[in-house]
Every structure is written in C-alpha cells, then in structure tokens.
Amino acid sequence: MGGMHPLAYILCLSLLLLTTAKKATDEAKPDWAKKSITDYTDADLERLLDQWDEDEEPIPADELPDGHPDKPQPQLDMSKLDMSNPEEVMKLTKKGKTVMMFVRITNFQTREETEEITSLWQTGLYNNHVQAERFLIEDDRVMFQFSDGGYAWEAKDFLVEQERCMEVQLEQQTYKGKFAPEEDEPKEKKDKKDKKKKKKEKKVKATIEKVEL
C-alpha cells in the first residue's frame, strides 16, 4: 500500500464506499464502515473488498460469451431443418459450439508468408462479422477455431474463394479452393488408365484389320 499515491488510494476507497453505501442504504453500517477513509486498516480494506464481491451480481447464463461451458445451448427446431441440405443441417447443429477448421495454402514459400496470408484471411472474416482464432500448425497450414461453429460454413465459403487457398477441411469434409492447381494424377492410377487405353486401341486396330481382310 505504501507504493500507491495517497490521492489515488483515497479515490479508490471512496468509489468502493460509495457503491457499498448505495447497496446498503436502509441498513445500519458496521462500525468499521463508519470510520474515516484515512483511518482504514488492512483488515477493514479486506472486509470492504469481500463485501464488494458478495454484492456483485453474476452474469446471466444467456449473456455469457459463445463457447462458455455454462452458456445454455440454443434449442434446435428439427422441423425447420432441410435434411436434403447437409451443410445447412451441420451449420444449425453446430451453432453455439466450438468448431475447428483446417486450411492449407498453395505455392508455399515461407512460414512467415503463410502467417501473413492467413492473417489477411482472418481480417477478411472479421470484416464479414465472423469471429475466429487462428493457429499456425504447419508451415503451409493453419487452424481456424470458431467459438460459434454456426459461422464455420460461412467462413469456408469465403476461404475457398481466396486465390492462395489450396483446400479447406471442415467436419471431415474437404473443399478445394477455387484457384487451387490441378493435382497430378497418382502414378498407379495413371498407369492403369494408360493400359486400359492401349488395350482398347489394340482391340479397335484388330477389328479394322479383320474387316479389311
């Protein structure tokens, strides 16, 4: 207490006392509360702070931030779900719940560039009123975490439109970026395809030769 400026100390106490007095207008004050502020001891201060904590009203459960374990989950009206639209169903069932999304960039250069690009994406989401935390988990891959999972699909629609987005993974589904380059076909699949093509060409050639004879 010795390090606090006397005027600041007295001002803080005055505010505490004023609030406490308002909450106990019709009640008799205890003896310690009748003292002058300058005569308060450490024990008196402890009692004052304890009373302040007791009088403070808790935040209503429905006003807690999204993702808080004590916040009640919104009631889901099953009659309003369009079961033919899986994304819409997921969006509604994940509302108010934490959801994670993984995004990979194209043409990887450096870890720093990945940070810069995905930071711009995060800002773009904020500008569209979508709140998300961002974590770099690989050199070319980040995780976006949504405290209200209902916004994750809106974010997915935004991200796949970005020029450097390779793919978005959300709830076990992979969405390719609009500008992502075509991936090379696996060698095994390509070889099988080539063999089938050659076999077909050979069959056609044999048929032609037979007709000519």
Side-chain angles (χ1 to χ4, degrees), residues 170-186:
L170 176 61
E171 292 297 306
Q172 301 181 349
Q173 295 292 323
T174 300
Y175 305 89
K176 189 175 180 180
K178 182 177 179 180
F179 299 97
E182 292 293 334
E183 295 182 4
D184 292 335
E185 201 170 27

Side-chain angles (χ1 to χ4, degrees), residues 54-114:
E54 289 175 6
D55 292 339
E56 188 174 1
E57 296 180 3
I59 300 175
D62 59 347
E63 293 182 12
L64 291 169
D66 291 330
H68 194 286
D70 295 333
K71 183 169 184 176
Q73 296 297 322
Q75 294 297 316
L76 188 62
D77 187 350
M78 300 298 290
S79 65
K80 293 183 179 179
L81 291 180
D82 180 4
M83 303 308 290
S84 64
N85 188 340
E87 283 196 14
E88 193 64 27
V89 172
M90 290 295 292
K91 185 188 296 186
L92 291 174
T93 55
K94 294 296 181 179
K95 186 171 179 58
K97 299 178 182 179
T98 300
V99 169
M100 291 174 287
M101 170 195 291
F102 302 91
V103 186
R104 192 181 299 276
I105 71 167
T106 60
N107 304 321
F108 168 72
Q109 299 296 324
T110 64
R111 190 179 181 89
E112 290 72 24
E113 188 198 39
T114 301

Side-chain angles (χ1 to χ4, degrees), residues 142-157:
V142 296
M143 179 183 79
F144 285 101
Q145 179 173 300
F146 304 86
S147 57
D148 185 347
Y151 288 104
W153 280 263
E154 185 177 337
K156 180 266 296 180
D157 292 339

Side-chain angles (χ1 to χ4, degrees), residues 6 22 27 43 52 67-69 81 91-92 95 99 114 124 136-137 140 150 167 185 192 196:
K22 285 182 178 179
E27 298 175 5
W52 173 268
H68 194 286
L81 291 180
K91 185 188 296 186
L92 291 174
K95 186 171 179 58
V99 169
T114 301
L136 186 66
I137 56 175
D140 64 343
E167 63 181 22
E185 201 170 27
K192 190 175 179 180
K196 191 175 180 180

Side-chain angles (χ1 to χ4, degrees), residues 32-78:
W32 62 268
K34 297 176 183 178
K35 293 181 182 180
S36 171
I37 295 176
T38 54
D39 295 332
Y40 266 48
T41 64
D42 287 343
D44 293 333
L45 284 175
E46 287 294 332
R47 282 193 288 267
L48 182 60
L49 291 172
D50 287 342
Q51 184 173 340
W52 173 268
D53 290 337
E54 289 175 6
D55 292 339
E56 188 174 1
E57 296 180 3
I59 300 175
D62 59 347
E63 293 182 12
L64 291 169
D66 291 330
H68 194 286
D70 295 333
K71 183 169 184 176
Q73 296 297 322
Q75 294 297 316
L76 188 62
D77 187 350
M78 300 298 290

